[in-house]
Amino acid sequence: MRQLIRNIAIFDGTGTAPVPGAVVVEGEAIAAVLHDEAAIAAVEADVVIDGQGATLMPGMVDAHTHLTWGSSVEKIYHQFILPPDELKVAAWRNARVLLDHGYTSLYSAGALGDQIEPELARAIEAGETPGPRLIPSTLERSPEGEEGVETGDVFNGRGPDAMRAFVAYCAEEGVKSLKLVISGEDALKPGSSADILYTDEEMLAAGEAAREAGLWIATHAYSPRAIALALEAGARILYHCSFADDAAVDAMAAKKDEIFYAPGPGVSVAALEASPPPHINMSSMKASAAERLELEKTLVPKLKARGVRILPGGDYGFPFNPHGRNARDLEHFVTYYGFTPAEALSAATMLGGQLMGQQVGHVKPGYLADLLLVDGDPTQDVRILQDANNIKMIMLGGQMHKSPAAQPVNA
Ligand SMILES: [Zn+2]
């Protein structure tokens, strides 16, 4: 089927201003991007969509997603670890909620169940349930199990062999990116962000095994030493990195073509804004969030200036930071990190597509037709994307997830 989307301003993902034109979608991919009126008029299409002057842009990519962190704008859970049945329901719901909010690709930063995401990724791909493209993960691995959930067997344990066993397990389960918690987490255990949970031998073994198995590595890393370990292991994406020093910045910049960085401002800003009920004490989480955001205000622009690819995605899924608000990260990039709106948009689309390792994130012939039609110009104000009502159309691989409303025909 050939679809023509016309009367639009096209934001192609690169960061340049939207340009009037039309897009031809053939099957699941973009066949042509046209700017010439005569060429547009000559297109023979099965379906013509009049964009009515809206902005057409690539679907967004979230680089740090936890679908099994239950809470979304549709349903807030006040317990963090859900019973297994509810956990699966929440993950499947959250995938759909993210797609409803313009996210067509997700890179998982770890799950609270070991098989939920590979199963969900398969179901989405088979068209059994609506959801974005998903790089699935599994339980986050930490050596002693004290930073995450108690899991036993391959998710904990010390030594290079334990790391190889974990990688083998992930490969067997259909995981595409495994998650290693290298740093402690202040928000959970005050004062632990400087802790280092793995040795060089363990990280090197994990990196080698992951490369052999064709898996990617995502890392929770705060301190310079944790960043060094992540880079040593060949991590694809580094999260947070808030305490990076100049040497760590140099080390990340030296690997700028191999790595991605997602600071994750969403959870920090939401923690600072949260007013929890009296029985919930968020004081250490708030203190940690304030400290990190302050450091990142200087750090992120430095890494950006060195050409490191920096992506939105901010640990959504807590009751105070529910899924569906993910586009707030783009605003945070502008407010805290000095990005222009167009740069934040490009990070969420083109750079996100590079992270996914798929032909997504660009409005360009040959790329998959993961496209949004947005009321207004998000390169002027990225906050437009925070309201799903402003997203008139959501297309995933040429298939409509949300069709534009029927339009009156002028006589
Ligand atoms: Zn996370």
Side-chain angles (χ1 to χ4, degrees):
M1 186 174 76
R2 182 181 293 167
Q3 305 179 77
L4 172 68
I5 311 170
R6 53 172 291 279
N7 192 13
I8 49 177
I10 302 167
F11 174 80
D12 68 0
T14 59
T16 54
V19 180
V23 167
V24 181
V25 174
E26 186 90 57
E28 64 172 6
I30 296 165
V33 178
L34 306 170
H35 300 289
D36 176 70
E37 277 309 318
I40 295 167
V43 173
E44 287 180 30
D46 304 299
V47 173
V48 177
I49 297 154
D50 180 351
Q52 300 184 308
T55 303
L56 184 94
M57 61 173 275
M60 291 183 284
V61 181
D62 190 90
H64 185 165
T65 314
H66 297 284
L67 288 173
T68 54
W69 294 14
S71 292
S72 72
V73 291
E74 289 185 8
K75 184 172 174 64
I76 300 292
Y77 292 94
H78 289 289
Q79 73 194 105
F80 188 60
I81 311 278
L82 300 171
D85 286 355
E86 191 63 36
L87 193 61
K88 180 174 165 178
V89 170
W92 288 48
R93 178 195 298 119
N94 291 339
R96 194 257 308 145
V97 166
L98 279 160
L99 184 54
D100 289 347
H101 286 79
Y103 282 83
T104 51
S105 289
L106 308 176
Y107 191 101
S108 174
L112 292 169
D114 60 348
Q115 290 160 6
I116 291 177
E117 289 190 357
E119 185 190 345
L120 176 54
R122 276 190 293 270
I124 290 171
E125 211 166 295
E128 294 163 15
T129 192
R133 302 178 196 281
L134 171 63
I135 301 293
S137 191
T138 184
L139 287 158
E140 302 182 39
R141 192 187 195 286
S142 72
E144 316 294 348
E146 60 183 18
E147 299 301 327
V149 281
E150 283 301 332
T151 53
D153 53 47
V154 298
F155 298 100
N156 311 131
R158 300 241 57 133
D161 285 343
M163 303 304 280
R164 288 187 201 103
F166 173 63
V167 174
Y169 176 85
C170 289
E172 178 76 27
E173 288 302 317
V175 162
K176 294 277 188 308
S177 172
L178 52 97
K179 174 73 178 293
L180 299 176
V181 179
I182 307 177
S183 289
E185 173 56 61
D186 264 351
L188 303 173
K189 189 179 165 196
S192 70
S193 290
D195 294 355
I196 297 296
L197 308 184
Y198 286 109
T199 65
D200 290 275
E201 293 70 33
E202 288 167 339
M203 289 303 297
L204 287 168
E208 195 181 85
R211 271 190 298 283
E212 278 169 16
L215 302 186
W216 291 329
I217 298 178
T219 54
H220 176 91
Y222 278 121
S223 63
R225 176 75 186 128
I227 293 165
L229 284 168
L231 295 174
E232 226 168 70
R236 182 172 185 81
I237 184 158
L238 287 78
Y239 296 130
H240 310 305
C241 300
S242 322
F243 302 96
D245 57 13
D246 285 346
V249 168
D250 287 343
M252 288 172 77
K255 288 208 163 187
K256 69 180 171 62
D257 297 326
E258 292 142 65
I259 62 162
F260 297 87
Y261 167 47
V267 70
S268 302
V269 176
L272 289 170
E273 289 171 352
S275 38
H279 66 283
I280 295 175
N281 182 358
M282 284 182 66
S283 59
S284 66
M285 204 180 216
K286 282 174 180 282
S288 159
E291 181 185 17
R292 280 154 35 185
L293 261 186
E294 197 54 40
L295 290 167
E296 289 160 12
K297 276 186 199 167
T298 318
L299 171 68
V300 176
K302 263 192 218 169
L303 287 165
K304 177 165 165 275
R306 301 285 294 274
V308 174
R309 293 171 288 185
I310 304 169
L311 309 183
D315 265 328
Y316 290 82
F318 285 109
F320 61 88
N321 190 39
H323 292 291
R325 292 200 191 149
N326 307 56
R328 292 188 76 203
D329 254 57
L330 279 68
E331 180 186 359
H332 301 331
F333 270 45
V334 174
T335 307
Y336 295 95
Y337 302 154
F339 279 55
T340 66
E343 286 172 342
L345 268 185
S346 179
T349 55
M350 182 182 77
L351 297 183
Q354 293 174 13
L355 171 69
M356 293 296 289
Q358 301 172 28
Q359 296 286 88
V360 298
H362 251 310
V363 181
K364 195 174 167 185
Y367 275 71
L368 291 163
D370 294 359
L371 301 169
L372 311 178
L373 256 182
V374 180
D375 233 343
D377 180 358
T379 66
Q380 296 301 312
D381 184 357
V382 283
R383 291 174 301 180
I384 288 171
L385 293 164
Q386 294 171 26
D387 183 351
N389 294 318
N390 292 331
I391 307 178
K392 295 155 57 128
M393 178 195 88
I394 301 169
M395 180 184 275
L396 180 64
Q399 306 260 351
M400 281 298 179
H401 174 66
K402 180 180 188 178
S403 299
Q407 297 147 7
V409 177
N410 295 322

